[in-house]
Amino acid sequence: MFHALYFPLYEQAKDFSRQTLQLEEGSFSLYAVSATVSGILINCITNPFWMVRTRMQAEIFRSMCEDNYRSKYPLNIFKTMRIIYQREGFLTLYNGLSASMIGVMHPLIYFPLYEKSKIYFKRNWDTDKAEEEGLSSRYVLISAIFCKGVTSALTYPHEVLRARMQDVRGYEKAHSSYVEGQGSRIGQAVRRLWSEKGVLSFYDGFWINLMRISPSYAITFVLYEYFSLFFHQKLAGRDAHDSDDDD
């Protein structure tokens, strides 16, 4: 869902930045502004879904009873949101949003780096293809995975922070030792993590997450570049055909 919404917004933001802000094609500022605007909007839209996912994954630390799990998390994700809203309030669905906003640095770093790496591979390695044919899939795959690895190494702590903040249940705070010392505020979460293992706490699960997400990014960006080029060529061909009919 994140990428399905992100890519159209990112392209619209690039068009707006070129036309209204007069940012040059290929410039770092164009990609940075577009990625930042898109990231802020998408994080606001999708935070409740991230929150529900975190709660569902962390429930095993509280109870392994399937009946208890199903009572809190029915198969319908919107019913789960309603249960959380009724028990803890609407704003609970936006726990971790402040950490997600720090995570805007992820697309801010990733997309300029990705776009620049595509330009590099096109100029230096994929020279046998015409410019209008785009970058070969193998170089798109390399760019996507390499840029994801670099970006994750720089921004992964925000994911740990977000998960910790989203896993705090309001109804447990008064009587559960599990949530003792955590809290839904970002400052509390930072202090709690630092007290556990120092800086290493902010990279818990990093390698597992990287192995999980890298194939997903590779497939997503290869398909995105392919269909983006495909539809661009189709639209360009249709416009050329319409111009010939007018003549």
Side-chain angles (χ1 to χ4, degrees), residues 16-203:
F16 175 82
S17 299
R18 279 192 294 261
Q19 297 169 9
T20 306
L21 303 180
Q22 303 298 312
L23 299 179
E24 295 182 3
E25 182 65 43
S27 66
F28 176 84
S29 56
L30 172 66
Y31 303 135
V33 169
S34 304
T36 301
V37 172
S38 305
I40 291 173
L41 291 174
I42 294 302
N43 278 322
C44 290
I45 295 170
T46 61
N47 196 81
F49 296 94
W50 290 109
M51 196 270 189
V52 169
R53 189 190 75 164
T54 299
R55 289 285 186 93
M56 295 174 74
Q57 291 175 333
E59 186 61 30
I60 192 173
F61 296 110
R62 290 170 167 77
S63 173
M64 298 183 67
C65 175
E66 185 175 352
D67 292 338
N68 173 69
Y69 181 88
R70 289 302 173 199
S71 68
K72 293 180 179 179
Y73 308 108
L75 295 178
N76 188 318
I77 190 171
F78 294 103
K79 285 185 179 179
T80 301
M81 287 183 185
R82 189 171 72 242
I83 291 171
I84 293 173
Y85 160 71
Q86 291 172 343
R87 297 188 70 176
E88 303 174 60
F90 176 76
L91 291 180
T92 301
L93 294 172
Y94 283 88
N95 279 356
L97 182 61
S98 55
S100 293
M101 288 306 172
I102 296 175
V104 168
M105 289 189 300
H106 187 282
L108 178 60
I109 297 170
Y110 181 85
F111 276 92
L113 187 61
Y114 172 71
E115 299 278 7
K116 290 294 185 180
S117 69
K118 286 200 305 177
I119 294 173
Y120 169 79
F121 280 118
K122 187 63 183 175
R123 290 177 178 173
N124 297 281
W125 293 85
D126 200 22
T127 55
D128 56 329
K129 294 182 67 176
E131 186 69 29
E132 60 271 11
E133 292 181 8
L135 188 65
S136 297
S137 294
R138 63 181 179 274
Y139 295 118
V140 173
L141 185 145
I142 294 170
S143 297
I145 293 178
F146 170 75
C147 296
K148 177 60 180 174
V150 172
T151 307
S152 290
L154 296 173
T155 64
Y156 184 75
H158 93 274
E159 297 192 36
V160 179
L161 277 173
R162 181 179 62 192
R164 287 295 186 95
M165 294 170 70
Q166 290 174 340
D167 193 36
V168 176
R169 274 77 160 170
Y171 57 84
E172 292 180 335
K173 288 181 181 178
H175 54 79
S176 175
S177 60
Y178 181 82
V179 297
E180 183 181 355
Q182 292 201 101
S184 58
R185 296 180 182 276
I186 192 166
Q188 291 175 292
V190 169
R191 288 192 294 272
R192 174 69 176 183
L193 283 165
W194 185 263
S195 69
E196 293 174 3
K197 292 183 292 184
V199 69
L200 293 179
S201 295
F202 295 91
Y203 284 89

